[in-house]
Amino acid sequence: GWAFLAGIAAVAIALGSTFTWASRTETASRGMNGILAWTEGMGMPMRPAMSVMETTEAPPIDPHHAGLEVALTPSEPIRPGVPTTLTLTVRDAETGEPVEDLVRTHQVWAHLILTRTDLSTFAHIHLRPTGEPGRLQVRATFPTAGEYVAHTEFRRQGQMGDVLDSRELRVAGPGFARQAPTSAAQVRTVVRDGVAVHLDGHAVVGEQSDFTFRFTDAATGDPVTGLRPYLGAAGHAAIVRSDGSGFAHRHAETEDSRGRPVFAVPGATFGPELGLHTRFASAGTYRMWAQFRLPDGAVITAPFTVRTAETGAHDHS
């Protein structure tokens, strides 16, 4: 059941010390130089005429359409509980040469989101440059045997969107076949570090689905404000269908009193509500792992379960 899976997920969130990325001190990042550095770290092109930040993000494309060959290879056969070095290699599909124009996207060189195919584990980690063109690495620990799906997002210079590579990784070992089926029961409230995160909104197929995260003190019910930026966004959400297919990496957002977007620049704060917009291509049950940075700097991961509404009706369960 989900209580068991949530327990596994809670353990899996702490798969290794590399799974939490410490941002630079905010005081050092304030001011115009800090904003420019933040913009560069987000992978946003600048409009040179007015130095206006271009914040529109294009949907990711697959390596084939990007003209790339991508490999994600472990340094040795992956074993449960044993740290493994994963190497991402990005080459030009036509020439075979390593690409030399990778830039940061949302403040890191590449996002690697690992889930077991039964969606019982989750990790969001980041690959770092090796010093060789087109090669990034990270140490990862897979908590259990099973089939995993690795979704890797990276960006090339001047591009408005990321390249998304998805592939399966097999972890052999005892218990390999005992993957629990994903429950269809919805999970809309998760408590982490004394903060209750509630997810409102409907998952609908084929059109934009709008959600709201509401943050309250789990003990008092008071609204929680002062949330801090996490990896250049008010929040991150990875969304995967219950059968392990499909993948979306979306960012939470908010507006000021005049309806203008509030950017996750250094020093910005958020709460008690954040919005999230996404699309579901097919009906079914989905896991949504939402990540936020609390006022005290701790990063929490809240695993929700949402089910798409039946045709013509919203699902309120």
Side-chain angles (χ1 to χ4, degrees):
W2 274 114
F4 169 73
L5 294 182
I8 295 178
V11 172
I13 287 163
L15 293 186
S17 60
T18 55
F19 285 13
T20 304
W21 182 81
S23 63
R24 296 168 296 180
T25 58
E26 291 191 5
T27 51
S29 300
R30 293 175 192 265
M32 192 58 196
N33 286 340
I35 298 298
L36 293 172
W38 174 84
T39 306
E40 183 180 16
M42 294 289 286
M44 292 177 180
M46 299 288 285
R47 289 183 183 152
M50 298 178 64
S51 293
V52 176
M53 284 185 292
E54 176 59 76
T55 59
T56 303
E57 289 193 69
I61 60 174
D62 61 58
H64 174 73
H65 287 96
L68 299 173
E69 289 181 353
V70 178
L72 183 70
T73 52
S75 56
E76 56 199 346
I78 305 172
R79 292 180 292 155
V82 179
T84 305
T85 298
L86 300 176
T87 301
L88 179 76
T89 306
V90 184
R91 297 180 179 275
D92 183 289
E94 202 168 300
T95 66
E97 292 297 314
V99 300
E100 300 187 10
D101 61 351
L102 296 181
V103 297
R104 292 176 185 265
T105 171
H106 278 267
Q107 299 185 340
V108 298
W109 290 100
H111 297 264
L112 174 58
I113 293 174
L114 292 168
T115 60
R116 213 171 78 160
T117 51
D118 63 359
L119 307 188
S120 63
T121 67
F122 167 85
H124 178 179
I125 60 179
H126 308 109
L127 296 112
R128 299 174 182 273
T130 62
E132 298 178 50
R135 281 171 64 90
L136 305 172
Q137 286 184 336
V138 69
R139 293 278 281 175
T141 303
F142 296 76
T144 61
E147 297 278 2
Y148 288 75
V149 182
H151 303 283
T152 310
E153 289 181 299
F154 58 90
R155 188 172 298 196
R156 300 186 74 180
Q157 190 168 13
Q159 298 300 306
M160 292 305 303
D162 290 344
V163 177
L164 171 62
D165 176 74
S166 298
R167 62 187 58 241
E168 291 190 358
L169 296 173
R170 182 183 177 91
V171 181
F176 181 88
R178 296 201 304 272
Q179 296 201 165
T182 304
S183 168
Q186 295 212 73
V187 176
R188 290 299 192 111
T189 301
V190 177
V191 177
R192 290 285 184 271
D193 288 12
V195 175
V197 188
H198 182 72
L199 179 68
D200 287 333
H202 304 293
V204 292
V205 176
E207 59 186 80
Q208 180 171 287
S209 297
D210 301 319
F211 294 97
T212 301
F213 298 104
R214 305 184 193 280
F215 301 84
T216 58
D217 185 297
T220 66
D222 294 336
V224 171
T225 59
L227 297 170
R228 293 160 55 181
Y230 175 55
L231 297 178
H236 290 253
I239 306 166
V240 184
R241 200 168 183 270
S242 61
D243 61 2
S245 68
F247 172 78
H249 180 185
R250 298 287 181 261
H251 302 111
E253 56 195 42
T254 190
E255 297 176 343
D256 64 14
S257 58
R258 295 169 58 183
R260 299 173 302 185
V262 178
F263 300 122
V265 296
T269 57
F270 309 98
E273 295 183 358
L274 289 171
L276 182 84
H277 309 289
T278 190
R279 289 179 178 272
F280 297 91
S282 58
T285 302
Y286 289 78
R287 269 330 288 263
M288 178 190 295
W289 292 274
Q291 295 186 290
F292 309 97
R293 189 183 297 277
L294 299 181
D296 66 2
V299 175
I300 59 170
T301 299
F304 299 99
T305 307
V306 298
R307 190 166 63 243
T308 54
E310 297 295 327
T311 304
H314 286 309
D315 190 338
H316 292 278
S317 62

